[in-house]
Amino acid sequence: MTELSTTDRDKLLEHFGRRYGNGEVLYREGDGAREVFLLQEGRVRVVKRVRNVERSLQILRPGDLFGEGALLPGSTRTSSAVALSDVVVLALTPETFDQMM
């Protein structure tokens, strides 16, 4: 979102922005996938349970897109996302994501 003006960025955050505190779960493995996320601030850890052990898959930074399984109708989350710091994301429905692209 660096190509956007400050005004446009603020409008997007006003309509689609969400804030999560350190340690908060953005979504859980097995939940219905209804939104894709674009990380604006902070860091997020993506984890998956394998044989009852939580495995870290990826650490996300600002600019990273995640939860993209939501772009497929009827999909469920295959991993969980947990805030590693205070984070700000854009939470976009598949329809909104398509319009933005």
Side-chain angles (χ1 to χ4, degrees):
M1 289 200 349
T2 55
E3 301 94 25
L4 294 176
S5 71
T6 302
T7 303
D8 289 340
R9 183 178 187 275
D10 289 345
K11 284 181 184 177
L12 278 174
L13 287 171
E14 181 181 320
H15 285 85
F16 304 109
R18 287 199 193 146
R19 295 181 183 277
Y20 295 88
N22 184 18
E24 278 191 81
V25 175
L26 284 73
Y27 57 79
R28 295 185 192 284
E29 186 174 347
D31 287 350
R34 293 176 186 81
E35 297 165 316
V36 61
F37 296 90
L38 182 58
L39 187 58
Q40 299 300 298
E41 298 174 20
R43 294 184 318 145
V44 172
R45 180 169 71 123
V46 178
V47 296
K48 182 167 183 63
R49 284 213 167 274
V50 178
R51 296 187 192 117
N52 292 327
V53 176
E54 193 173 83
R55 305 280 183 185
S56 202
L57 299 177
Q58 189 173 19
I59 303 296
L60 304 169
R61 291 176 171 60
D64 287 340
L65 183 72
F66 63 104
E68 61 276 4
L71 298 174
L72 302 172
S75 65
T76 58
R77 300 288 185 198
T78 59
S79 60
S80 298
V82 180
L84 287 177
S85 63
D86 290 343
V87 301
V88 177
V89 296
L90 292 178
L92 308 169
T93 64
E95 296 79 20
T96 303
F97 182 81
D98 284 345
Q99 289 175 357
M100 289 180 72
M101 297 320 282

